[in-house]
Structure formats: structure tokens, C-alpha cells
Amino acid sequence: MTEPRDIAARLLDAQVDFLLAEVTGERLAEVVARDVADALAVADTVVFRDVVGIEQAQATLRKLVDRSDSPLLRDLAGVLSDALYDHIVDNDEHTLGDVVDREPVEALVEKVLGLHDAQERLLDRLGEAPLAAPVASKFVDMLVDDILEANKKVVGKVPGMTSLMSLGQSAVKSAKKAAEGSFVGDMANRGTLYALRRVTNAIRETLREAPVHGAAMQFWDLHAGEPVSGLRQYLTQYDLRELVLIGHRIATGSRNKEYVGLLLDEAVEVFFTKYGDHTLAALLPELGLGADDLTEEILRYGPAVIEAAKRDGMLAKLIRARLEPFYTSDMVLGILGAA
């Protein structure tokens, strides 16, 4: 009579061979389609909030954000920016208009120009900045100098006016120098602040009444018909890399701030409010996925991985390691002995 252990070993060999055949050749596609369908059938009976708690989801999301500063992502940030720049430089086949549709660009411009409250607040805060006075002073000086230079060119054509103009310029420069550090200078600085407010008011009126929208879209249309490679004229490869790395540094530096954590927690709560009562299977269409998509993606990568694992016998060893404790258990050996 065959010993129970010998029967168990033969059964183990048979099941290992059976499972290897399940993931071999055309059979794999049938098995994957079957298992995906079965998994979705089960998922269709499980409500999301019944298996995932808000606290669990919040902890997971925070962990994912915290891992965003991995060495891999840090290295890829710079490398990908270089690769992107190199591709842009070499790409003369596509225009910017091919990549980005005009309609959303126009909607974006219209929306930005319509943010009157934001514009008002920004311009008001600009006037309150401590460095606004020096900036305004510099702006006024440059404006006055440009006006004087333009007038100089005009009066230079009139006999006897050049000397008078030079005298006027000297007087203006002397007055400015004398005003520095004095009460008059302080008044001048206040005057430049007033000038800055006049400028911001002009900006307000320009944004609201001037044809800025049309000008912005003309600027877009000018670039939309040009090759994507033309974008390199705005940035060097070094500039792009630095901007990407700075952006990555800002993102990773902010990820563990308390306020960011509150935002992440709120995002999870919003998700649960909207989708918490969906079944797991019903969430897939919300993500734009279906059974065919899952099957396709598994079959896209699975066969190559499985074949590589089968070649050196690793897959068979893994299957055997999982099943052997069952076949050599006292319970199974007892059943085989009784049979």
C-alpha cells in the first residue's frame, strides 16, 4: 500500500504542474479574464466605506505624500527636465497648437482677466510692500529720464535749444540729489508711492477696459503656429532644470507641514462623502477603468514576468513552497491514510 506521504508528494507535483500550465501560453489570457471577472463580481458586493476607514485612507495618503521625496524622484526631476528640453529642441514636427487646443487657453485667459477681486487685492498689497517706495522711485526716475531724452532729441533740431535743455537736465539732477535724505526727499518718496498707486490704478483700468483678452489671444495665436521647439527660446536647459528642481524642493519641503496634512485629510473626507457608498467595482468606471482594461494591463506585463520566472525554475519553487505545508500537514496525511 502506498504511503500517505508518497501520495501527498505526487498530488503536490500534480498541482504545481497544473498551476504552471494555468499561466502558460494562451491559457494565461483565459485565466486572467476569468479571475478578473470573479474579482469584480466579489468587488461589486463590497461597499467602499465598509472595508476602508477614513482614518486608514488619511494615513495612507499622508504616507504616499511623505514618500514623494524619495531618491528616485529627486534624481528623475532633473533628468526628466533635461530629457524634456532635449526633446523640445529636436521637435520641429509639432506646433504648440497641435499640443494645446485654443479653446481652453481662451477660457483660461478670460477667467484670469475676470478675477477682479484677486487683481484688486494684489495691486493693493503691492502698494503696501516696504520696498514699494524704492521701486516706485526708480520707476519714476527712469520715466523722467526717458521723457527728457526724448525731448532732447526733439529740441536738438531747434537752434539754440540744446544748451537750454542741458541746463534743465542739470537742474533736475541737482534737485534730486539735494532732496536725498531731506524732508523734501521724504516728500518725494511719498510722491513716488502716489505715482505707484496711479500706476496700479492704470493697470486696473487696462485689465478691465482695454482689449487685453484679444491681445493675449493674438500672442497665443502667434506661437500656436510655430514648432514646439521654439519654446527653447524662452529658457535654457539649465534654467528649466533649475526651475524643476526648485519646484520639487518647494513641494517636498511643504509635504509634512501641518496645514498640508489638514488639506490631505479634507480631500479624503470629500472623497468618502462622494464615493464612500460605492462598491469597489462601481469605483472603476469613475476612474475610467473596466474589466477589459484590467485584463489588458495584466496581460501587457504579466507574460514576460511569468516566463522569466519559469525559465530558472523560480516560479515552480515558489508555488511548491506555498502548497507543500498543506500536503504535508497532519490533516491531509491523515485523510490520505484513511483513504
Short mmCIF file of all heavy atoms in Angstrom, two decimals, residues 213-241:
data_model
loop_
_atom_site.label_atom_id
_atom_site.label_comp_id
_atom_site.label_asym_id
_atom_site.label_seq_id
_atom_site.Cartn_x
_atom_site.Cartn_y
_atom_site.Cartn_z
N HIS A 213 -7.74 90.81 -23.49
CA HIS A 213 -8.09 89.45 -23.89
C HIS A 213 -7.70 89.19 -25.34
O HIS A 213 -7.06 88.18 -25.66
CB HIS A 213 -9.59 89.22 -23.69
CG HIS A 213 -10.05 87.84 -24.09
ND1 HIS A 213 -10.45 87.55 -25.38
CD2 HIS A 213 -10.16 86.69 -23.39
CE1 HIS A 213 -10.79 86.29 -25.45
NE2 HIS A 213 -10.63 85.74 -24.26
N GLY A 214 -8.05 90.11 -26.20
CA GLY A 214 -7.72 89.96 -27.61
C GLY A 214 -6.22 89.95 -27.84
O GLY A 214 -5.70 89.16 -28.65
N ALA A 215 -5.51 90.80 -27.12
CA ALA A 215 -4.06 90.86 -27.26
C ALA A 215 -3.41 89.56 -26.79
O ALA A 215 -2.47 89.06 -27.42
CB ALA A 215 -3.50 92.04 -26.46
N ALA A 216 -3.93 89.03 -25.68
CA ALA A 216 -3.39 87.77 -25.16
C ALA A 216 -3.61 86.62 -26.15
O ALA A 216 -2.71 85.79 -26.36
CB ALA A 216 -4.04 87.43 -23.82
N MET A 217 -4.78 86.57 -26.77
CA MET A 217 -5.06 85.51 -27.72
C MET A 217 -4.26 85.70 -29.01
O MET A 217 -3.87 84.72 -29.65
CB MET A 217 -6.55 85.45 -28.03
CG MET A 217 -7.40 85.01 -26.84
SD MET A 217 -6.73 83.55 -25.97
CE MET A 217 -6.70 82.34 -27.29
N GLN A 218 -3.98 86.93 -29.38
CA GLN A 218 -3.10 87.16 -30.53
C GLN A 218 -1.69 86.66 -30.22
O GLN A 218 -1.02 86.08 -31.09
CB GLN A 218 -3.07 88.65 -30.89
CG GLN A 218 -4.34 89.12 -31.59
CD GLN A 218 -4.25 90.58 -32.00
OE1 GLN A 218 -3.26 91.25 -31.75
NE2 GLN A 218 -5.30 91.06 -32.65
N PHE A 219 -1.26 86.87 -28.99
CA PHE A 219 0.05 86.37 -28.55
C PHE A 219 0.07 84.85 -28.63
O PHE A 219 1.04 84.24 -29.09
CB PHE A 219 0.32 86.84 -27.13
CG PHE A 219 1.60 86.32 -26.54
CD1 PHE A 219 2.81 86.92 -26.86
CD2 PHE A 219 1.59 85.23 -25.69
CE1 PHE A 219 4.00 86.43 -26.33
CE2 PHE A 219 2.77 84.74 -25.15
CZ PHE A 219 3.98 85.34 -25.48
N TRP A 220 -1.04 84.21 -28.20
CA TRP A 220 -1.13 82.74 -28.27
C TRP A 220 -1.11 82.27 -29.73
O TRP A 220 -0.38 81.35 -30.08
CB TRP A 220 -2.39 82.26 -27.57
CG TRP A 220 -2.70 80.82 -27.90
CD1 TRP A 220 -3.62 80.35 -28.78
CD2 TRP A 220 -2.05 79.66 -27.36
NE1 TRP A 220 -3.59 78.99 -28.83
CE2 TRP A 220 -2.63 78.54 -27.98
CE3 TRP A 220 -1.03 79.48 -26.44
CZ2 TRP A 220 -2.23 77.23 -27.67
CZ3 TRP A 220 -0.63 78.19 -26.14
CH2 TRP A 220 -1.23 77.08 -26.75
N ASP A 221 -1.93 82.91 -30.55
CA ASP A 221 -2.01 82.50 -31.95
C ASP A 221 -0.65 82.65 -32.65
O ASP A 221 -0.32 81.87 -33.54
CB ASP A 221 -3.06 83.33 -32.69
CG ASP A 221 -4.47 83.02 -32.20
OD1 ASP A 221 -4.69 81.91 -31.68
OD2 ASP A 221 -5.34 83.91 -32.32
N LEU A 222 0.11 83.65 -32.23
CA LEU A 222 1.43 83.86 -32.82
C LEU A 222 2.34 82.66 -32.55
O LEU A 222 3.13 82.26 -33.42
CB LEU A 222 2.05 85.13 -32.22
CG LEU A 222 3.47 85.50 -32.70
CD1 LEU A 222 3.43 85.85 -34.19
CD2 LEU A 222 4.03 86.66 -31.90
N HIS A 223 2.21 82.09 -31.36
CA HIS A 223 3.06 80.96 -31.00
C HIS A 223 2.45 79.61 -31.39
O HIS A 223 3.17 78.64 -31.59
CB HIS A 223 3.33 80.95 -29.49
CG HIS A 223 4.22 82.06 -29.04
ND1 HIS A 223 3.81 83.36 -28.92
CD2 HIS A 223 5.54 82.06 -28.69
CE1 HIS A 223 4.81 84.12 -28.52
NE2 HIS A 223 5.87 83.36 -28.36
N ALA A 224 1.12 79.56 -31.46
CA ALA A 224 0.45 78.29 -31.72
C ALA A 224 0.84 77.69 -33.06
O ALA A 224 0.86 76.46 -33.23
CB ALA A 224 -1.07 78.46 -31.65
N GLY A 225 1.15 78.53 -34.02
CA GLY A 225 1.50 78.02 -35.34
C GLY A 225 2.97 77.73 -35.51
O GLY A 225 3.40 77.27 -36.58
N GLU A 226 3.76 77.97 -34.47
CA GLU A 226 5.20 77.73 -34.55
C GLU A 226 5.55 76.36 -33.97
O GLU A 226 4.82 75.81 -33.15
CB GLU A 226 5.95 78.82 -33.78
CG GLU A 226 5.75 80.21 -34.37
CD GLU A 226 6.50 81.28 -33.58
OE1 GLU A 226 7.04 80.93 -32.51
OE2 GLU A 226 6.55 82.43 -34.05
N PRO A 227 6.69 75.78 -34.38
CA PRO A 227 7.11 74.48 -33.84
C PRO A 227 7.29 74.54 -32.33
O PRO A 227 7.64 75.59 -31.77
CB PRO A 227 8.44 74.21 -34.55
CG PRO A 227 8.39 75.04 -35.79
CD PRO A 227 7.59 76.26 -35.44
N VAL A 228 7.04 73.42 -31.67
CA VAL A 228 7.21 73.35 -30.23
C VAL A 228 8.65 73.69 -29.84
O VAL A 228 8.90 74.23 -28.76
CB VAL A 228 6.84 71.93 -29.73
CG1 VAL A 228 7.13 71.79 -28.24
CG2 VAL A 228 5.37 71.64 -30.01
N SER A 229 9.59 73.41 -30.73
CA SER A 229 10.99 73.69 -30.43
C SER A 229 11.24 75.17 -30.17
O SER A 229 12.24 75.53 -29.54
CB SER A 229 11.88 73.22 -31.59
OG SER A 229 11.51 73.87 -32.79
N GLY A 230 10.34 76.04 -30.62
CA GLY A 230 10.51 77.47 -30.39
C GLY A 230 10.44 77.85 -28.93
O GLY A 230 10.91 78.93 -28.54
N LEU A 231 9.88 76.98 -28.09
CA LEU A 231 9.78 77.27 -26.66
C LEU A 231 11.16 77.38 -26.01
O LEU A 231 11.31 78.00 -24.96
CB LEU A 231 8.97 76.18 -25.96
CG LEU A 231 7.49 76.08 -26.34
CD1 LEU A 231 6.84 74.89 -25.66
CD2 LEU A 231 6.75 77.36 -25.98
N ARG A 232 12.17 76.77 -26.64
CA ARG A 232 13.50 76.81 -26.04
C ARG A 232 14.08 78.22 -26.04
O ARG A 232 15.06 78.50 -25.35
CB ARG A 232 14.44 75.86 -26.78
CG ARG A 232 14.81 76.29 -28.18
CD ARG A 232 15.65 75.22 -28.87
NE ARG A 232 16.12 75.65 -30.16
CZ ARG A 232 15.45 75.55 -31.29
NH1 ARG A 232 14.22 75.02 -31.28
NH2 ARG A 232 15.94 75.94 -32.43
N GLN A 233 13.48 79.11 -26.83
CA GLN A 233 13.97 80.49 -26.86
C GLN A 233 13.67 81.22 -25.56
O GLN A 233 14.25 82.28 -25.29
CB GLN A 233 13.35 81.23 -28.04
CG GLN A 233 13.72 80.64 -29.40
CD GLN A 233 13.03 81.35 -30.55
OE1 GLN A 233 12.44 82.41 -30.36
NE2 GLN A 233 13.08 80.75 -31.72
N TYR A 234 12.74 80.68 -24.76
CA TYR A 234 12.38 81.32 -23.50
C TYR A 234 13.24 80.84 -22.34
O TYR A 234 13.41 81.54 -21.35
CB TYR A 234 10.91 81.06 -23.18
CG TYR A 234 9.96 81.78 -24.10
CD1 TYR A 234 9.47 81.16 -25.25
CD2 TYR A 234 9.55 83.07 -23.83
CE1 TYR A 234 8.60 81.82 -26.11
CE2 TYR A 234 8.67 83.74 -24.67
CZ TYR A 234 8.20 83.10 -25.81
OH TYR A 234 7.34 83.77 -26.65
N LEU A 235 13.76 79.61 -22.43
CA LEU A 235 14.53 79.04 -21.34
C LEU A 235 15.71 78.25 -21.87
O LEU A 235 15.60 77.57 -22.89
CB LEU A 235 13.66 78.09 -20.49
CG LEU A 235 12.57 78.68 -19.59
CD1 LEU A 235 11.75 77.55 -19.00
CD2 LEU A 235 13.18 79.52 -18.49
N THR A 236 16.82 78.31 -21.17
CA THR A 236 17.92 77.42 -21.47
C THR A 236 17.67 76.09 -20.75
O THR A 236 16.80 76.00 -19.87
CB THR A 236 19.27 77.99 -20.99
OG1 THR A 236 19.24 78.08 -19.54
CG2 THR A 236 19.49 79.39 -21.57
N GLN A 237 18.42 75.07 -21.11
CA GLN A 237 18.27 73.79 -20.44
C GLN A 237 18.58 73.91 -18.95
O GLN A 237 17.90 73.31 -18.11
CB GLN A 237 19.20 72.75 -21.09
CG GLN A 237 19.00 71.34 -20.55
CD GLN A 237 19.88 70.34 -21.27
OE1 GLN A 237 21.09 70.53 -21.36
NE2 GLN A 237 19.28 69.29 -21.80
N TYR A 238 19.58 74.72 -18.63
CA TYR A 238 19.94 74.93 -17.23
C TYR A 238 18.80 75.61 -16.47
O TYR A 238 18.47 75.24 -15.34
CB TYR A 238 21.21 75.78 -17.15
CG TYR A 238 21.59 76.15 -15.73
CD1 TYR A 238 22.25 75.24 -14.91
CD2 TYR A 238 21.29 77.42 -15.23
CE1 TYR A 238 22.60 75.58 -13.60
CE2 TYR A 238 21.64 77.76 -13.92
CZ TYR A 238 22.29 76.84 -13.13
OH TYR A 238 22.63 77.17 -11.84
N ASP A 239 18.17 76.61 -17.09
CA ASP A 239 17.07 77.32 -16.44
C ASP A 239 15.91 76.38 -16.15
O ASP A 239 15.32 76.41 -15.07
CB ASP A 239 16.59 78.48 -17.32
CG ASP A 239 17.61 79.60 -17.42
OD1 ASP A 239 18.39 79.75 -16.46
OD2 ASP A 239 17.62 80.30 -18.44
N LEU A 240 15.57 75.54 -17.14
CA LEU A 240 14.46 74.61 -16.95
C LEU A 240 14.76 73.63 -15.83
O LEU A 240 13.90 73.35 -14.99
CB LEU A 240 14.18 73.85 -18.26
CG LEU A 240 13.06 72.80 -18.19
CD1 LEU A 240 11.73 73.44 -17.81
CD2 LEU A 240 12.94 72.06 -19.52
N ARG A 241 15.96 73.12 -15.83
CA ARG A 241 16.35 72.17 -14.77
C ARG A 241 16.26 72.81 -13.40
O ARG A 241 15.73 72.21 -12.45
CB ARG A 241 17.77 71.67 -15.04
CG ARG A 241 18.24 70.61 -14.04
CD ARG A 241 19.69 70.24 -14.29
NE ARG A 241 20.14 69.22 -13.36
CZ ARG A 241 20.04 67.93 -13.53
NH1 ARG A 241 19.51 67.47 -14.66
NH2 ARG A 241 20.48 67.07 -12.63
#
